[in-house]
Every structure is written in structure tokens, then in C-alpha cells.
Amino acid sequence: MVASAQHTIPHEITEEAKIALSHYPELTNTKIEFKFKKNIKKSTMQAQPSFWSVFKSKKKRSYNILISERIKIADSVYYTKDIPSEIMIGWLGHELGHVMDFEQRSGFNLIGFGFKYVTSKNYIREAERRADSYAVNHGMETYILATKEFILKEAGLTQEYVDRIKNFYLSPEEIMILVEERDAASID
Ligand SMILES: [Zn+2]
């Protein structure tokens, strides 16, 4: 796998990030920094354009993928380094799906995106499903499904948390439909 000079990856997740990135050749020349953080509000990982780059031309735009040092799922806490590789790859693939989504937008549109994302549940739902769809359309369905299974089937999940995941993200059935559509489209 060819590592791009544009990508900064902490050593703990180098292999996983490289595999996820290999599914997105469009992002080879896009500046992306993966960073561990002590705490991220309400989520485990978060993709975002770096603040000032929103005001620059699209070519100069850069992104951060923030990763919580500890992954908290309902009442269980996992250290990121202990998460099985496959699940980490799926998680990173989903975040890169957000980056793909951001890449299609103007700087002005991104500012609106940030605002709507914090104010509208419907908007979050659409953004999360778009990120999943990008990952599936880039051939990452096995990883995405593994990540979902991990989140949904780990012991100790509250019903509220499971409902939130089901509500905001693509279901395994929806993923399979996307895979069929993708494969049908690539035949002709
Ligand atoms: Zn997401």
C-alpha cells in the first residue's frame, strides 16, 4: 500500500487507516490528519474540515479525523488500541465517507452543514447515512457491517443507544441493497 505524504496517521492505527484510505483513491492528494483526542463530545470519531481551510480554495482544504482515545459504547469502555482491526477499519471508512461528502461542498455550504448538523436530527441522520453509503460504494461493506455488528451486539448496550444507531445509520439490510445496486451498476 502506498502511503501518501498528505496523510498523517498515529502509529497505533497506521495499518487500519492505510487499508481504509486504499478504498478512496480520490483522497490520495487530500490533506487528512488522523488525531487521538482525550474526549470527543457525544461521539467516538469525528471528521471535520480544519477550521481555517473552509475559507480557502477547495484544493487547499484539509480535514481532521478525531478519534477518542477510549471508545465508550453505552456503559462499556474500550481502549481504541484494543478494538479489533476490522472494526477500526470500518469505523475509519465511515469517517472517510464524511470527508468524501465534504469534498463535494463549497466552503460556504460547509459552514451551513456544521450549523444544521448541530441543530437538526434529520440532517444528522442524512449525513450519517451518506457517509455509510460512500463507504459501501467504495467496497467497504464487510468492514462497515462488522463495525455495526460490534456496536449493536456488544453486551451492555442500552435500548436507547441501539435505537439511536438504528435510526441514524444504514441498517445491514439497506447495506446489502446498496451492494446489489453497486454491483449491478458496475456490470454495464
Ligand atoms: Zn458519522
Side-chain angles (χ1 to χ4, degrees):
M1 252 161 292
V2 185
S4 162
Q6 299 292 344
H7 303 146
T8 311
I9 309 168
H11 68 88
E12 293 93 333
I13 56 162
T14 307
E15 285 315 304
E16 289 84 356
K18 279 188 192 169
I19 291 170
L21 281 161
S22 73
H23 286 268
Y24 292 92
E26 305 94 319
L27 298 177
T28 307
N29 296 313
T30 307
K31 206 167 183 296
I32 302 172
E33 187 174 352
F34 298 79
K35 283 191 228 189
F36 279 109
K37 281 242 154 185
K38 278 250 178 292
N39 248 315
I40 303 175
K41 256 192 192 166
K42 280 193 193 168
S43 64
T44 304
M45 291 195 197
Q46 198 171 57
Q48 54 186 212
S50 52
F51 183 74
W52 290 108
S53 80
V54 168
F55 303 99
K56 293 179 187 165
S57 73
K58 249 192 196 183
K59 271 194 175 164
K60 288 186 183 163
R61 196 184 284 165
S62 59
Y63 299 93
N64 294 318
I65 293 180
L66 308 178
I67 304 156
S68 182
E69 279 177 7
R70 281 176 295 176
I71 294 182
K72 207 175 154 195
I73 296 172
D75 294 331
S76 320
V77 176
Y78 304 84
Y79 283 91
T80 308
K81 57 177 173 33
D82 299 333
I83 296 282
S85 276
E86 197 185 27
I87 287 149
M88 177 59 66
I89 294 164
W91 222 311
L92 294 170
H94 169 90
E95 297 306 320
L96 291 170
H98 282 299
V99 172
M100 286 296 293
D101 186 28
F102 296 151
E103 280 282 276
Q104 322 302 319
R105 298 164 183 275
S106 67
F108 185 72
N109 183 289
L110 280 175
I111 295 165
F113 177 95
F115 180 72
K116 287 182 205 139
Y117 194 89
V118 295
T119 54
S120 159
K121 275 197 174 163
N122 262 335
Y123 204 79
I124 296 177
R125 180 169 189 269
E126 281 169 22
E128 296 307 339
R129 293 165 66 90
R130 271 199 307 277
D132 273 350
S133 304
Y134 271 114
V136 172
N137 285 325
H138 284 74
M140 296 198 73
E141 63 272 14
T142 316
Y143 300 114
I144 294 289
L145 286 168
T147 307
K148 254 170 238 298
E149 190 171 285
F150 175 77
I151 294 171
L152 292 174
K153 295 194 178 159
E154 278 298 322
L157 287 189
T158 61
Q159 191 56 41
E160 192 191 353
Y161 193 92
V162 171
D163 288 346
R164 192 188 126 85
I165 295 291
K166 285 187 177 162
N167 197 6
F168 282 95
Y169 297 79
L170 292 179
S171 69
E173 293 76 17
E174 287 172 308
I175 290 174
M176 293 326 291
I177 292 168
L178 272 184
V179 170
E180 277 171 27
E181 285 172 359
R182 181 197 70 202
D183 293 349
S186 64
I187 290 167
D188 39 63

